[in-house]
């Protein structure tokens, strides 16, 4: 089991036992509207299928998914992952935090630790992330962890039949070390 620790958080491998809590948090409309792949309404029972696919992807694709656990309550409060494109030594960071935990620095704390993991354990050269342009909570996390805005891709994705712009941010290994 993969395990990382910060001052307030434990980042560990997702398990099937997390399915009910993932479903509970991901069912919130405000979570779905800020992410590309979380549907709303969230289909009952689909968190288990999601976690099963994550565990399979971790074995095959060298991607690292983490349940974000609040140490104080021992509750799952979100998910963070780092994909890996080995040929380019590049990883994509993605995350969501349950709405009751917004604005408390948990996303920044988790993202900092996963960035460290990506550079130190996965030996990546670059880590990048994308956010809807109308989701400042997400791209501010990227800025706080040292990522630089690399551009905005207009009409880059479709969510709920609407064309949306994405801000892209990135950080290089050399920038991380400074």
């Amino acid at each position: 089991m993969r395990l990382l620790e910060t001052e307030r958080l434990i980042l560990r491998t997702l398990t099937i036992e997390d399915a009910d809590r993932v479903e509970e948090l991901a069912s919130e409309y405000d979570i779905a509207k800020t992410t590309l792949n979380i549907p709303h309404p969230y289909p009952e029972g689909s968190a288990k299928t999601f976690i099963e696919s994550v565990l399979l992807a971790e074995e095959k694709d060298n991607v690292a998914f983490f349940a974000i656990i609040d140490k104080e309550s021992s509750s799952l409060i979100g998910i963070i992952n780092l994909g890996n494109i080995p040929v380019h030594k590049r990883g994509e960071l993605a995350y969501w935090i349950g709405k009751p935990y917004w604005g408390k620095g948990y996303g920044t704390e988790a993202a900092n630790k996963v960035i460290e993991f990506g550079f130190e354990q996965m030996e990546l050269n670059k880590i990048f992330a994308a956010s809807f342009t109308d989701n400042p909570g997400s791209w501010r996390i990227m800025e706080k962890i040292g990522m630089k805005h690399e551009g905005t891709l207009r009409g880059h994705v479709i969510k709920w039949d609407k064309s949306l712009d994405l801000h892209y941010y990135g950080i290089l290994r050399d920038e991380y070390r400074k």
Side-chain angles (χ1 to χ4, degrees):
M1 177 176 274
R2 190 176 288 122
L3 186 70
L4 304 175
E5 193 169 339
T6 70
E7 181 181 337
R8 300 180 298 162
L9 303 172
I10 293 172
L11 308 178
R12 62 155 172 78
T13 304
L14 278 165
T15 68
I16 294 299
E17 290 75 26
D18 294 322
D20 288 343
R21 181 65 172 161
V22 168
E23 193 166 308
E24 176 187 344
L25 293 174
S27 292
E28 173 68 46
Y29 171 79
D30 285 334
I31 297 297
K33 81 173 187 179
T34 62
T35 61
L36 184 58
N37 296 315
I38 294 178
H40 188 80
Y42 196 86
E44 188 174 331
S46 63
K48 182 179 179 202
T49 303
F50 164 72
I51 292 169
E52 288 169 345
S53 71
V54 161
L55 296 173
L56 185 61
E58 284 188 318
E59 288 177 21
K60 290 178 152 184
D61 301 328
N62 199 20
V63 60
F65 274 84
F66 297 94
I68 304 171
I69 308 298
D70 173 39
K71 283 182 179 178
E72 187 175 314
S73 68
S74 298
S75 293
L76 184 145
I77 63 170
I79 294 175
I80 190 165
N81 68 282
L82 187 59
N84 186 4
I85 305 161
V87 68
H88 299 294
K89 299 188 83 157
R90 180 176 70 217
E92 182 174 9
L93 179 69
Y95 47 81
W96 61 265
I97 301 292
K99 190 171 180 185
Y101 307 97
W102 287 4
K104 298 179 178 172
Y106 292 122
T108 302
E109 192 171 328
N112 261 325
K113 193 65 175 179
V114 172
I115 291 283
E116 176 185 306
F117 174 81
F119 288 127
E120 301 299 329
Q121 302 298 315
M122 296 174 80
E123 299 181 352
L124 299 173
N125 182 58
K126 178 180 183 175
I127 298 173
F128 69 98
S131 172
F132 296 142
T133 56
D134 65 353
N135 185 4
S138 184
W139 48 263
R140 285 191 183 125
I141 288 172
M142 297 172 200
E143 292 172 347
K144 289 176 188 174
I145 64 171
M147 290 182 147
K148 294 183 175 27
H149 185 255
E150 295 186 339
T152 301
L153 300 181
R154 299 176 301 131
H156 196 63
V157 296
I158 304 294
K159 172 84 178 194
W160 298 335
D161 297 322
K162 184 178 174 188
S163 174
L164 298 172
D165 301 342
L166 290 179
H167 283 316
Y168 271 84
Y169 282 77
I171 185 169
L172 301 173
R173 173 188 287 279
D174 292 342
E175 294 167 337
Y176 161 76
R177 287 186 171 154
K178 289 182 182 176

